[in-house]
Amino acid sequence: MKAPAIPANESDRLLSLHDSGLLESNNHQPYDRITRLAKRIFNVSLARINLIDERSLVALSVEGSAASVVPRSHSLCGHTLLNNAPLVVPDTRNDTRFADNPLVAGQSKVRFYAGYPLRLPDGSIAGTLCLLDESPREFSPGDMTALSDLAALAEDEFAAACAATTDELTGLFNRRGFNQFAAFALSGARRRAEPLTLAWMDLDRFRQINDRYGHAEGDVALKAMTELMRASFREADLLVRYGGDEFAVLFADTDEQGAWIAMQYLNEQVAEYNQRGLHPWSLTFSWGVCEFDHQQNDLKRWLQIAHDKILAMKQQYGVGG
């Protein structure tokens, strides 16, 4: 098996993918319509819309029976990403790249593959629209045109998602909304010579909640954390779900000591919430605060310092994801 190589622009591609917010999206319905259509039009066993992150193919939609996450090293779509163009394999067993791939030689028995790269508005490839079948087949120019049209629909949905500045699940600002707002907040704080402090938070052991109790309970945990943040902080503070289990608060006109006091209050509110015993899991989080240095910092450096403080706390207390 030939594992797909890593594209030369991989770091920039991944940055665009994570900034898009698609990996955290809970709105799969538009993509489900596209994969249903694709499966029906082409009469294949499986149609998928995938995002390709560092290690995996993460399905935004799957029409047919298949795992929602596939290792990138085993994926056929990784080769589509690398080629930067549509890829059609009429018979995978006749292709040396795929003949002994677990998806071909194992229980999945994939014999036909057609993949179309899906781009974000900035041109970066986020993933693929792909067709898979258990029988070899040819793929005509007309078929490719139809697949291209469906891919264009998926990219339209990507563009709409990328324009959003709020997180679908929590209603907080998302990564894009934060980045846009923070630039204005920094400019205003500089003009007024006001302090501006960022608090960065990671939910501890969030992955264990998802693994043990299911993703629906994970969503409940994220929503609970959101409501506790809203109740603990001022309306003037910018609340953000930056991605996955990462949250942030931008404290306006507040120095680091003031932000520290506010975060301690959130800690107390979370502890009281856990004492109520509403769920089989408890909310815990690691955090760090960092005041913006108007002389030396930029936004990227500021985020990194705050994030490093979280990592230090996790290491100090032996906390995992």
Side-chain angles (χ1 to χ4, degrees):
M1 181 190 78
K2 183 178 180 180
I6 302 300
N9 68 337
E10 181 69 353
S11 59
D12 290 337
R13 187 193 73 82
L14 288 173
L15 181 62
S16 291
L17 174 59
H18 286 285
D19 283 348
S20 73
L22 289 169
L23 287 167
E24 288 81 42
S25 175
N26 293 290
N27 183 20
H28 294 183
Q29 186 175 1
Y31 309 109
D32 290 341
R33 287 196 291 265
I34 295 170
T35 53
R36 281 198 301 268
L37 244 145
K39 187 174 185 293
R40 187 178 307 120
I41 289 172
F42 295 102
N43 192 28
V44 291
S45 304
L46 187 67
R48 295 176 61 113
I49 292 177
N50 303 300
L51 301 174
I52 303 177
D53 70 8
E54 292 89 335
R55 292 176 294 275
S56 308
L57 261 67
V58 180
L60 273 178
S61 177
V62 179
E63 186 67 17
S65 178
S68 59
V69 177
V70 175
R72 183 171 173 177
S73 59
H74 293 173
S75 72
L76 285 69
C77 290
H79 293 272
T80 302
L81 170 66
L82 184 65
N83 291 340
N84 198 21
L87 174 65
V88 176
V89 184
D91 190 341
T92 55
R93 291 188 181 176
N94 293 334
D95 192 310
T96 56
R97 294 171 296 179
F98 309 123
D100 59 347
N101 186 296
L103 298 177
V104 175
Q107 291 184 348
S108 297
K109 295 182 175 59
V110 174
R111 294 290 301 276
F112 166 79
Y113 170 84
Y116 204 100
L118 298 177
R119 299 179 186 277
L120 297 170
D122 68 358
S124 300
I125 299 177
T128 58
L129 167 61
C130 70
L131 312 171
L132 304 102
D133 201 66
E134 297 175 355
S135 301
R137 63 167 67 193
E138 295 300 319
F139 206 65
S140 71
D143 290 333
M144 182 57 72
T145 298
L147 185 62
S148 173
D149 289 343
L150 291 175
L153 293 177
E155 290 178 342
D156 287 345
E157 295 296 338
F158 282 6
C162 287
T165 57
T166 56
D167 175 60
E168 297 166 359
L169 179 68
T170 64
L172 303 181
F173 277 104
N174 60 18
R175 183 189 307 237
R176 186 178 310 100
F178 169 77
N179 289 339
Q180 291 177 7
F181 186 91
F184 290 111
L186 289 176
S187 177
R190 280 197 185 102
R191 288 198 308 271
R192 295 187 295 270
E194 293 175 351
L196 196 65
T197 300
L198 176 69
W200 197 274
M201 292 170 277
D202 277 358
L203 291 187
D204 298 330
R205 304 180 182 88
F206 178 69
R207 188 178 303 166
Q208 296 178 22
I209 296 177
N210 277 332
D211 291 345
R212 185 170 181 181
Y213 303 107
H215 287 274
E217 280 298 304
D219 288 350
V220 171
L222 293 170
K223 290 178 180 178
M225 187 66 182
T226 297
E227 292 310 310
L228 288 165
M229 290 168 61
R230 284 194 171 115
S232 299
F233 301 131
R234 305 168 301 182
E235 288 188 7
D237 300 326
L238 177 69
L239 309 183
V240 183
R241 183 187 176 200
Y242 202 73
D245 59 356
E246 294 181 323
F247 292 85
V249 185
L250 187 61
F251 292 104
D253 196 14
T254 304
D255 61 16
E256 193 162 308
Q257 182 179 3
W260 186 274
I261 293 170
M263 291 301 296
Q264 291 287 7
Y265 180 70
L266 176 63
N267 251 329
E268 294 169 4
Q269 298 306 300
V270 169
E272 288 184 10
Y273 181 84
N274 289 333
Q275 287 177 359
R276 293 163 63 188
L278 300 174
H279 311 286
W281 40 264
S282 295
L283 284 175
T284 59
F285 65 100
S286 300
W287 55 280
V289 295
C290 180
E291 185 174 342
F292 187 76
D293 186 335
H294 291 290
Q295 302 303 317
Q296 298 183 15
N297 281 355
D298 58 20
L299 180 58
K300 184 177 180 180
R301 176 63 179 155
W302 192 30
L303 293 174
Q304 187 61 55
I305 292 171
H307 198 261
D308 288 347
K309 290 186 177 184
I310 288 182
L311 295 179
M313 176 180 280
K314 286 180 176 289
Q315 292 170 358
Q316 179 180 354
Y317 293 101
V319 177

